[in-house]
Amino acid sequence: MLRLLFLGSSDFAVPILESIAASPDIGVSAVVTRPDSRAGRGRTKSSTPIAHAAHSLGIPLMQPEKLVREDFEGLEADMMLTAAYGQWLPTWLLERTALGVVNIHPSLLPDFRGAAPVARTILAGRELTGVSFMLTDSGWDTGPVIHSVHTGVLPGETAGELSSRLSRLAAETAPEVLSSYARGDLEPVPQTGTGTYAEKISRKDAELDWSKTADELVLAVRAFNPTPGAWCVFNGKVLKVFRALATVGSGPPGTFLAVGKERLTVSAGQGMLDLQEVQHESGRRMDAVTFLRGLRVEPARR
């Protein structure tokens, strides 16, 4: 049986852990995730999704503030697997197991290495993506690739939806890929070409630039859904946009040209953006029709 140490934190990693834990050929020695954190107005303490999953599966859990060599002594493992762990791994940890550290990355490497591959894939308008199983080295997602799984980006798919689908795809594939690699049936292949780097998404990145075309703005809305949420300023307050369509029309960029009971439309550099799902500052997400009830906005207002 392949003995494995799993490192992960976010929702993306949960189906992968569940799939591996259910495999009769793989035994998970322990799960490593980030420490509990405090968030929200009440500063409530919360655990990572992977911590909850480990508890449900009955797998020993580690939540170190810092990765320290002594904490890993006595843990028996042939391989380590990382999926959305979110921390840099020191050299001693990379070299700890005979089969190294396999990382599951939601892009087709070498494209979109880095922190935000799914959002950057959608933002770039790519129609093809996938999941890469790679050996972790000292660089940012630069190690040799063991196996890749390809899939198309669906029309209208958001970053959250695509990430969930890639997670399930990785979960379906992971047990066989890891077992095949452990048996020596898969040979790591060095990455070639310069590729692209997927920088972390900031709130500023998610601000809608009305000088861009409506098609580009739709990509931005999809790429930043659910987080941080594409946004603009409407009636002096932040308005997040979670769903939108590109429509025909023209006018000064950033101008509300058609506001009625059914539509909330804004002119872009080329074409118009028909807002479908929005969230006003301190409010909840809702469709445009609900949002427009009782809202009075003069046409041609920026």
Side-chain angles (χ1 to χ4, degrees), residues 124-185:
R126 296 292 183 89
E127 296 181 352
L128 181 67
T129 186
V131 174
S132 298
F133 292 77
M134 53 155 283
L135 282 180
T136 303
D137 59 14
S138 59
W140 283 109
D141 304 318
T142 55
V145 176
I146 298 170
H147 184 73
S148 295
V149 186
H150 295 62
T151 186
V153 179
L154 302 179
E157 196 167 32
T158 68
E161 292 164 346
L162 179 56
S163 181
S164 295
R165 192 160 61 84
L166 292 176
S167 173
R168 294 193 299 271
L169 186 62
E172 294 167 2
T173 314
E176 180 55 33
V177 170
L178 298 177
S179 296
S180 296
Y181 171 61
R183 291 193 303 265
D185 296 337

Side-chain angles (χ1 to χ4, degrees), residues 21-276:
S23 172
D25 301 320
I26 301 174
V28 182
S29 301
V31 168
V32 182
T33 191
R34 290 187 171 188
D36 293 349
S37 60
R38 296 188 181 276
R41 293 181 180 178
R43 306 299 294 168
T44 303
K45 200 172 185 179
S46 62
S47 302
T48 67
I50 277 293
H52 290 294
H55 283 306
S56 297
L57 294 167
I59 301 173
L61 179 67
M62 299 169 59
Q63 295 179 277
E65 292 283 351
K66 183 179 180 181
L67 295 172
V68 180
R69 189 191 305 261
E70 289 73 18
D71 292 340
F72 290 80
E73 292 180 355
L75 286 176
E76 296 184 357
D78 306 303
M79 175 194 300
M80 278 182 273
L81 177 67
T82 61
Y85 178 52
Q87 289 191 27
W88 185 266
L89 303 185
T91 302
W92 63 262
L93 190 57
L94 296 178
E95 299 173 346
R96 186 183 182 279
T97 54
L99 294 172
V101 180
V102 176
N103 178 51
I104 299 179
H105 187 76
S107 79
L108 296 176
L109 295 170
D111 279 344
F112 302 108
R113 297 166 173 155
V118 177
R120 296 293 181 186
T121 294
I122 293 177
L123 197 60
R126 296 292 183 89
E127 296 181 352
L128 181 67
T129 186
V131 174
S132 298
F133 292 77
M134 53 155 283
L135 282 180
T136 303
D137 59 14
S138 59
W140 283 109
D141 304 318
T142 55
V145 176
I146 298 170
H147 184 73
S148 295
V149 186
H150 295 62
T151 186
V153 179
L154 302 179
E157 196 167 32
T158 68
E161 292 164 346
L162 179 56
S163 181
S164 295
R165 192 160 61 84
L166 292 176
S167 173
R168 294 193 299 271
L169 186 62
E172 294 167 2
T173 314
E176 180 55 33
V177 170
L178 298 177
S179 296
S180 296
Y181 171 61
R183 291 193 303 265
D185 296 337
L186 291 176
E187 188 70 25
V189 178
Q191 296 182 38
T192 58
T194 56
T196 52
Y197 185 71
E199 293 184 9
K200 184 178 180 180
I201 302 296
S202 69
R203 184 177 181 275
K204 182 62 178 175
D205 291 331
E207 182 178 7
L208 293 172
D209 180 356
W210 298 111
S211 67
K212 293 184 176 181
T213 69
D215 288 333
E216 290 173 322
L217 291 171
V218 168
L219 290 176
V221 169
R222 290 170 51 201
F224 304 135
N225 180 355
T227 182
W231 64 277
C232 62
V233 176
F234 179 88
N235 278 0
K237 293 185 178 181
V238 171
L239 180 72
K240 287 190 175 184
V241 183
F242 291 100
R243 304 273 180 182
L245 297 174
T247 60
V248 177
S250 62
T255 302
F256 293 92
L257 294 179
V259 177
K261 294 181 179 180
E262 299 288 332
R263 299 180 63 196
L264 181 59
T265 309
V266 188
S267 57
Q270 179 181 335
M272 296 168 65
L273 197 68
D274 197 343
L275 311 187
Q276 302 285 302

